[in-house]
Amino acid sequence: MKKRNFDPNDYYKLNNLRKKIIKEINKHFSLNGKKILEIGTGSGSFSKILAKNYSDSYIESIDKVSTYADNVNNNYSNLNICIRDVFNVSSTYDAVFMIYSLTKLLKREKLNNILKVVNNLLLTNGILIIADEFTDDYSDDIDLLGLEIMKKLGYKYLTYDYFEKEVLKSNFEIFSTIVYDNKQNSVNMHGAKLQIFYENMLNEYDNSLKYNSDEIWNFFKNKIKDTGGIRTYNKTRLIILRKKDNIIEKLNSIKYTPCLYYSLNRLENNIK
């Protein structure tokens, strides 16, 4: 098989979907003049959409993989792209975007820890925007097989039901959610084999475990033939989370008189 070189500019060509995400957010929130963080910039295509749509905002896009960040052609003065791990970020933001980066972070970290880290990065009333795949949004065999192959390549996926339960335990609340059908074309046997080798190559760039592409291909090729191909990244769920406003914490910081302080403590104990 002819080898295909990795090009970050070919990574996740879903610009039409990204524009839909911006449109949906603009229905509910104004992010102009805000400080925005994008986790996992990848090819930088969404970073540029953010910079263009929110020209009065400061956008910081990070990726721990230098191969991605170093290849982004940045022509926007309000956009800063840098090589950094989200677990080493110390600034705070009005909004945090995670566009197809949750499944990557789940390779090495649990969801509840990811939510805690992002919570610390957000200002009061800040929002977290997640766009990613969830297993229970799929039903067609051709999509499910694509998801199964991606799991074999080390990707971690959640059910939306599990995600929702974890959010309830966190300092976030779900503001809205919508599922987009990306109308991805299915790929044939040859395309499926290329997909496996291509996706496995990405593991080298994000320092994930490198798998044996030939073994994965041989394991799935009969299933791929039976389903007539595979699809990947065909369904995307957009979730907008809002950081909870901790009123008790704010009130406890206003200790002007012993009487007020005493009343606030009683209020807090009653709520608990």
Side-chain angles (χ1 to χ4, degrees):
M1 176 182 291
K2 184 179 179 180
K3 291 184 178 179
R4 187 164 85 173
N5 293 326
F6 173 69
D7 181 358
N9 292 317
D10 290 335
Y11 193 40
Y12 295 149
K13 289 185 175 178
L14 295 170
N15 285 331
N16 188 47
L17 169 67
R18 292 180 168 105
K19 290 173 183 176
K20 288 180 181 178
I21 290 172
I22 295 293
K23 186 177 180 181
E24 181 64 25
I25 291 166
N26 288 343
K27 290 179 184 177
H28 311 288
F29 302 96
S30 174
L31 293 184
N32 255 320
K34 304 295 185 181
K35 190 178 176 185
I36 299 169
L37 174 68
E38 183 201 10
I39 300 172
T41 188
S43 66
S45 58
F46 189 64
S47 308
K48 295 172 186 178
I49 291 174
L50 287 174
K52 182 179 179 180
N53 281 270
Y54 305 120
S55 56
D56 294 331
S57 299
Y58 169 75
I59 295 102
E60 186 170 306
S61 293
I62 62 172
D63 205 303
K64 65 175 290 189
V65 186
S66 59
T67 311
Y68 299 151
D70 288 344
N71 279 276
V72 178
N73 182 18
N74 180 15
N75 297 318
Y76 293 90
S77 59
N78 63 328
L79 172 61
N80 178 37
I81 297 174
C82 55
I83 302 164
R84 188 171 297 153
D85 193 317
V86 64
F87 298 98
N88 294 324
V89 177
S90 56
S91 300
T92 51
Y93 304 85
D94 297 288
V96 173
F97 284 82
M98 295 176 64
I99 310 300
Y100 286 106
S101 58
L102 178 61
T103 48
K104 297 292 184 62
L105 287 175
L106 287 170
K107 285 182 175 181
R108 59 191 174 103
E109 194 56 77
K110 292 182 179 178
L111 176 61
N112 62 335
N113 289 333
I114 294 170
L115 291 174
K116 285 178 184 177
V117 168
V118 178
N119 175 67
N120 292 333
L121 296 177
L122 279 170
L123 296 166
T124 302
N125 296 322
I127 59 171
L128 167 60
I129 300 96
I130 295 174
D132 221 307
E133 293 178 285
F134 291 83
T135 56
D136 43 356
D137 289 330
Y138 285 97
S139 58
D140 292 343
D141 291 340
I142 202 164
D143 291 321
L144 290 170
L145 181 57
L147 208 63
E148 191 179 347
I149 290 171
M150 295 295 284
K151 288 179 182 178
K152 200 77 171 178
L153 288 164
Y155 288 78
K156 303 292 183 184
Y157 296 96
L158 306 172
T159 65
Y160 180 68
D161 181 60
Y162 173 80
F163 178 87
E164 194 174 36
K165 288 176 182 177
E166 288 300 304
V167 169
L168 288 173
K169 301 175 189 175
S170 73
N171 197 41
F172 287 99
E173 57 186 359
I174 296 175
F175 178 81
S176 69
T177 183
I178 183 172
V179 178
Y180 295 105
D181 186 343
N182 301 326
K183 299 185 180 354
Q184 298 288 89
N185 294 325
S186 58
V187 297
N188 56 19
M189 292 285 285
H190 180 72
K193 189 172 186 179
L194 279 176
Q195 182 80 14
I196 289 171
F197 279 76
Y198 180 70
E199 291 292 343
N200 198 22
M201 195 181 296
L202 297 179
N203 289 323
E204 294 182 35
Y205 290 94
D206 67 7
N207 297 318
S208 301
L209 180 63
K210 183 76 163 57
Y211 298 87
N212 188 309
S213 299
D214 287 310
E215 286 183 5
I216 294 173
W217 164 250
N218 290 326
F219 182 84
F220 283 106
K221 65 181 180 182
N222 289 332
K223 287 185 178 180
I224 294 170
K225 185 177 180 180
D226 291 340
T227 57
I230 63 168
R231 274 195 300 256
T232 53
Y233 313 113
N234 195 39
K235 298 277 188 181
T236 298
R237 181 181 284 270
L238 172 64
I239 309 168
I240 302 176
L241 303 173
R242 188 160 51 185
K243 183 175 178 178
K244 291 178 183 175
D245 193 356
N246 196 330
I247 297 174
I248 295 298
E249 186 178 302
K250 282 185 175 181
L251 290 174
N252 265 331
S253 67
I254 311 173
K255 301 173 182 177
Y256 293 113
T257 66
C259 180
L260 176 61
Y261 179 48
Y262 173 73
S263 299
L264 292 175
N265 278 337
R266 285 190 63 186
L267 174 63
E268 184 175 9
N269 289 333
N270 286 336
I271 290 175
K272 287 180 179 178

